[in-house]
Amino acid sequence: MARAAGTTVGLLPLCLENMHILLIFVYMDDLVDGVLEALVELEVTGVTVVEGAAMERILADDVPIFSGLLQTIGGSHDKVRLVLAPLAQRSLVEPLFRLLAENGADMADPAVGRLCLLPAEFPEPPGS
Amino acid sequence: MKLVLAAALVTALALAGSRFSFLHLPLAGVRGSLWVRNILLTGTEFIFIGLLLGSPFLGILDDMTLVGLAPILGMGLSWIGLLFGIQWQVRRWDGVVRSGLLPALVQAGVVAVIITVPFYFLLRWSLDLSHAWCLVGALTLGAAGSDTAQSALALVGRSARGEGRALARLLRLVADLDGLVAVVVFGAVCWLPVLHGDTGSVGLWAALSVGLGVVMGLVVVALTSYQLAEEELLLVLLGTVFSGGGLALYLSLSPLFVNAVTGAVVANLSQERVLRSLQSLLVRGDRSVYVLFLLLAGAQWHPSGWSVLLLAGAYLMLRTTGKLAGNWLAFRGVVAPAVRGHMGLGLLSHGGLAIAVVVNLQQIHDGGSPVVDAVTTIVLVGVIVSELFSPALVWRVLGGARPMPSS
């Protein structure tokens, strides 16, 4: 479950066929830059970064001892970043995995993050 | 060998305790009070475990072993101080937090005064201490009493409905902010020349205290301006905790205060991303350090005679009076009079910084001093009794006429 505050980098691609939506869940704050750099290097555009919280974090109902103010002002520990991008070429996935690993964001490690692809349709507006 | 085993035992208990206490459990079958369940929910049982392990009973954590464990306690105090200070990132505060700051500090200040003044005379009369030591004891109690633990409000507040929900948020905000008075007042206690062999002046020790905190903060900001991985940030953090806290203890200053200043400097001067990572690292040790403190505070507790229990009763009464009066005064024009009159009852939860203050005093002035023993007994009894009743009181204040939620 995510509560969204998003940032978009770049423009949407022109080619709208055989599209996928790339979702990268990044669980470690310091790896977000590495993920975005990998996407820039592969010339993936229209990237949006959404900040959310893990379900366990919301349900945990933790009792703060000394860190209550951090909860009150919305401290960002245990936040999850969701990187969304439309992906025109499925062939970019393998080099993306490699680049992410080189940048320290090894998606094979579930503690670091997860990558998934969803087939997507970008319908044209009627009359165009 | 005993020291190594004791350190291992205490570490294991702290890690286990941080996993199995402080969980939000359904408050089953409650009708107005929680009694033993409160103790288990807020971790207070570790005081008794520590007492059991201490000299009066099993003797596993005897006085010699506790002296050997002093560096761990110093590290823990520094960690807590840094965690406290690093949350004071003023530029991120919205209007709600800013507007709640002054009332929270006023109510805590009133509590501190209401406890300190009578206790100066009570300690003088009951323990026959000098003026300086009465001041140390009374101010320490005032500092400890002014803080509100966040446990009861976190446990109960989420179940509040309607207007109670808004009041729960206000009470939590007050509890988050009023710890500043505890940290600053106890920091000031450590500026008194009596704790430094009657050398120096209050001004000198205050300047050293603040200066050390600011310098350590600037060092952290400078080091973290480089792109560091999480492991490297942890190293910077540990270095800060050990050096800042160690220097503070060496100078008989409060590591709690010094590292709180460090944390505040880091919070307001560091890059946002670095700050988030540091906060995340510090929060992970939140509960383990607290359980460790509860254990060691209990182990260093030498329950004195019955007269000190009477002083503990006076402390509870004065603290309750202070909370009621302080909130009534601080929230005039902010909260409806009908609510303001009993709002203080929702802020009686006790623990956290109060325990840290007691441990800090034990570290700075060891040697079985009567004032340290008395303050330890008074605060620990106050914490135990408060944690028995405070969740139920919070529930009542939040308008919980109906029974508390059951599983």
Side-chain angles (χ1 to χ4, degrees):
Chain A
M1 312 269 177
R3 297 181 183 136
T7 313
T8 301
V9 175
L11 303 170
L12 287 172
L14 295 176
C15 170
L16 300 179
E17 293 180 355
N18 300 318
M19 292 293 293
H20 290 80
I21 295 290
L22 172 70
L23 291 101
I24 306 176
F25 294 84
V26 185
Y27 302 129
M28 292 184 155
D29 210 18
D30 55 342
L31 297 177
V32 174
D33 278 357
V35 170
L36 295 178
E37 281 165 14
L39 291 170
V40 167
E41 204 167 315
L42 292 172
E43 296 179 359
V44 176
T45 56
V47 179
T48 300
V49 181
V50 175
E51 192 172 288
M55 179 182 72
E56 296 82 5
R57 185 80 185 97
I58 296 168
L59 293 177
D61 207 8
D62 286 345
V63 178
I65 311 300
F66 303 105
S67 57
L69 187 55
L70 209 54
Q71 281 190 7
T72 299
I73 62 176
S76 61
H77 60 283
D78 292 343
K79 286 259 192 298
V80 176
R81 301 296 195 288
L82 177 60
V83 178
L84 295 138
L87 198 67
Q89 298 160 269
R90 208 181 184 291
S91 57
L92 289 177
V93 173
E94 210 177 292
L96 178 60
F97 269 114
R98 204 167 44 246
L99 272 172
L100 288 173
E102 281 171 18
N103 291 352
D106 183 4
M107 291 292 133
D109 184 353
V112 169
R114 300 188 72 146
L115 188 153
C116 60
L117 278 180
L118 294 175
E121 186 185 332
F122 286 76
E124 296 277 340
S128 63
Chain B
M1 188 63 185
K2 187 178 182 184
L3 179 61
V4 172
L5 289 173
L9 173 66
V10 157
T11 306
L13 284 171
L15 286 172
S18 66
R19 301 289 187 275
F20 299 117
S21 283
F22 314 111
L23 296 177
H24 179 70
L25 302 172
L27 304 172
V30 172
R31 291 295 182 265
S33 71
L34 294 171
W35 296 104
V36 173
R37 205 173 178 91
N38 293 354
I39 298 265
L40 295 177
L41 287 170
T42 59
T44 319
E45 72 273 22
F46 289 97
I47 296 176
F48 297 111
I49 295 173
L51 183 63
L52 193 63
L53 295 172
S55 300
F57 297 98
L58 296 176
I60 296 173
L61 295 177
D62 57 17
D63 292 342
M64 284 285 290
T65 308
L66 288 170
V67 168
L69 292 175
I72 298 180
L73 278 174
M75 191 201 79
L77 284 168
S78 304
W79 191 281
I80 290 169
L82 200 54
L83 174 57
F84 181 81
I86 211 165
Q87 297 173 78
W88 288 71
Q89 189 189 10
V90 179
R91 64 177 185 261
R92 276 195 76 189
W93 288 3
D94 57 21
V96 173
V97 178
R98 285 175 201 271
S99 60
L101 178 62
L102 185 61
L105 296 183
V106 165
Q107 70 86 29
V110 168
V111 176
V113 168
I114 284 181
I115 292 174
T116 301
V117 172
F119 259 96
Y120 173 83
F121 298 103
L122 283 171
L123 290 173
R124 195 131 193 185
W125 167 72
S126 61
L127 300 177
D128 195 25
L129 297 169
S130 67
H131 155 75
W133 285 111
C134 285
L135 201 55
V136 168
L139 280 171
T140 304
L141 288 169
S146 64
D147 178 56
T148 307
Q150 296 153 11
S151 47
L153 286 161
L155 284 170
V156 178
R158 280 207 175 203
S159 303
R161 294 291 177 266
E163 285 176 6
R165 222 176 163 96
L167 184 57
R169 278 199 295 272
L170 177 62
L171 292 177
R172 280 195 75 166
L173 181 63
V174 172
D176 292 341
L177 296 170
D178 68 3
L180 181 64
V181 171
V183 171
V184 170
V185 170
F186 188 72
V189 168
C190 298
W191 303 339
L192 295 173
V194 68
L195 287 172
H196 303 275
D198 285 314
T199 57
S201 66
V202 171
L204 171 68
W205 296 116
L208 272 172
S209 225
V210 173
L212 183 58
V214 168
V215 165
M216 292 307 303
L218 292 173
V219 168
V220 172
V221 170
L223 285 174
T224 55
S225 61
Y226 297 98
Q227 195 94 348
L228 298 178
E230 193 174 275
E231 298 80 14
E232 290 161 332
L233 273 177
L234 181 60
L235 274 176
V236 170
L237 207 58
L238 287 174
T240 310
V241 158
F242 279 121
S243 49
L247 273 170
L249 278 178
Y250 179 73
L251 295 171
S252 295
L253 298 171
S254 168
L256 210 53
F257 177 83
V258 168
N259 282 277
V261 171
T262 301
V265 169
V266 171
N268 290 287
L269 295 181
S270 282
Q271 298 168 18
E272 187 67 31
R273 200 159 17 100
V274 167
L275 184 61
R276 284 184 197 163
S277 300
L278 287 172
Q279 287 171 342
S280 179
L281 283 169
L282 284 165
V283 167
R284 284 179 217 172
D286 190 20
R287 289 179 213 161
S288 304
V289 170
Y290 183 52
V291 173
L292 178 73
F293 270 31
L294 290 170
L295 282 168
L296 294 178
Q300 294 184 87
W301 182 13
H302 301 114
S304 322
W306 291 104
S307 60
V308 183
L309 288 180
L310 290 176
L311 289 176
Y315 173 76
L316 282 164
M317 272 178 16
L318 286 169
R319 186 168 183 262
T320 305
T321 306
K323 286 291 183 184
L324 287 168
N327 280 278
W328 183 84
L329 188 68
F331 288 97
R332 286 177 73 181
V334 178
V335 174
V339 174
R340 191 159 46 99
H342 63 273
M343 207 173 126
L345 293 178
L347 293 169
L348 288 179
S349 186
H350 207 18
L353 278 174
I355 302 286
V357 162
V358 164
V359 170
N360 202 160
L361 183 67
Q362 290 169 343
Q363 288 302 292
I364 288 172
H365 186 72
D366 53 9
S369 155
V371 70
V372 174
D373 286 342
V375 167
T376 302
T377 301
I378 290 166
V379 172
L380 290 184
V381 169
V383 166
I384 292 164
V385 173
S386 296
E387 292 303 271
L388 276 176
F389 296 105
S390 56
L393 286 171
V394 170
W395 184 246
R396 292 234 179 268
V397 167
L398 297 182
R402 59 191 169 88
M404 293 178 78
S406 58
S407 60

